[in-house]
Amino acid sequence: MIFSTRHAIDFTSAINTLPENAARRANGPVDADPYLSKQFEENTTIRRPFKAEAPVKDGPRSNKEIRIPRVQLIDADGNNHGIVPTDQALRMAEEAGLDLVEISPNSEPPVCKILDLGKLKYANQKKAAEARKKQKIVEIKEIKMRPNIDTHDYDVKMKAMNRFFEEGDKVKVTLKFRGREMAHQELGMKLLMQVKEDTLTIAKVEAEPKLEGRQMMMVLAPR
């Protein structure tokens, strides 16, 4: 049984008005059923609304976010004013039409500088974008060969492999055996050793040759 809040003003009084309890009312009020009382309490519990966590600020503290009493101040021209009250530093930044930015929070007291916060954020974003451009994501390129590959095809594969090493990528050399070629696995091992020797000056073996099913593989990485 579920009770709404408009019926929940006085549960005990409602019980006392029942006709079957008329005889008992002479001896005092009738107590509510403990089970029903428990159901009433469970369905009228006030739940607090979900409170999201406060967002984390990205970047240095600035202007009114700096709440310490004193700071070491550097003005927009790079002049060091030493330790000054924070209110004074904020006034100086406002008069210059700029922002007071905390640049060294771990100092005692922290070092703050008067500068253009918008330009600082733009410069930091530009540096981060340039750094991402310079990052090289190493990929593993696959070169497939046959144990009985001819000389021309081998040279073509080796040129492609050298280009991958120059670009900073790793290379997985895969040999696939077909039919009766499985009986001559030594040919595959000999070919992989040839690849290792031909790339010795620009690459190193990261994973030695191994046989998996009908394939023999070796991984090389640029030096």
Side-chain angles (χ1 to χ4, degrees):
M1 180 181 297
I2 300 177
F3 295 86
S4 63
T5 53
R6 70 186 180 87
H7 297 112
I9 299 174
D10 192 344
F11 185 76
T12 304
S13 297
I15 294 296
N16 283 314
T17 59
L18 295 176
E20 58 268 27
N21 291 324
R24 297 172 58 191
R25 285 202 301 272
N27 298 323
V30 179
D31 294 334
D33 189 319
Y35 175 76
L36 295 179
S37 298
K38 183 178 180 180
Q39 292 290 321
F40 167 72
E41 291 175 0
E42 290 179 353
N43 286 281
T44 56
T45 301
I46 300 175
R47 302 183 185 274
R48 294 184 178 180
F50 173 76
K51 185 177 180 181
E53 296 183 0
V56 179
K57 176 175 172 57
D58 183 19
R61 292 187 296 181
S62 61
N63 300 324
K64 294 298 184 180
E65 296 171 347
I66 304 173
R67 299 175 181 175
I68 51 177
R70 293 179 299 277
V71 297
Q72 297 184 51
L73 180 63
I74 300 174
D75 64 20
D77 297 324
N79 300 318
N80 193 336
H81 291 257
I83 299 175
V84 301
T86 303
D87 291 342
Q88 178 183 340
L90 287 169
R91 284 196 302 271
M92 292 175 64
E94 186 176 356
E95 291 172 357
L98 298 172
D99 304 285
L100 183 66
V101 181
E102 189 178 58
I103 60 174
S104 183
N106 296 326
S107 300
E108 185 57 43
V111 179
C112 294
K113 186 174 182 179
I114 297 175
L115 49 79
D116 189 327
L117 183 58
K119 288 184 177 179
L120 176 64
K121 290 182 177 180
Y122 175 76
N124 290 339
Q125 290 173 355
K126 191 174 181 180
K127 287 180 181 178
E130 290 176 353
R132 286 193 295 269
K133 287 182 181 179
K134 293 180 180 178
Q135 288 180 345
K136 168 63 180 175
I137 300 176
V138 178
E139 299 181 5
I140 299 180
K141 305 291 188 178
E142 185 176 18
I143 295 290
K144 296 182 179 180
M145 296 184 179
R146 295 294 308 281
N148 58 350
I149 187 171
D150 60 44
T151 303
H152 178 265
D153 288 344
Y154 179 82
D155 292 339
V156 173
K157 301 284 187 181
M158 293 305 297
K159 286 180 181 179
M161 197 180 304
N162 290 335
R163 186 175 70 254
F164 294 149
F165 290 140
E166 290 174 357
E167 295 173 354
D169 295 320
K170 299 179 182 180
V171 175
K172 179 173 73 171
V173 184
T174 304
L175 302 182
K176 187 171 183 180
F177 297 93
R178 295 180 180 175
R180 297 181 180 180
E181 292 176 347
M182 284 295 294
H184 301 282
Q185 296 178 17
E186 71 280 359
L187 297 178
M189 183 61 69
K190 182 179 179 180
L191 178 58
L192 292 181
M193 291 298 101
Q194 183 66 42
V195 172
K196 177 181 177 180
E197 183 178 345
D198 291 343
T199 59
L200 191 61
T201 58
I202 59 173
K204 58 184 178 181
V205 177
E206 188 171 87
E208 293 291 342
K210 63 178 179 179
L211 184 67
E212 292 186 359
R214 304 185 71 88
Q215 293 188 141
M216 188 175 289
M217 293 174 290
M218 176 177 67
V219 178
L220 301 169
R223 289 188 181 274

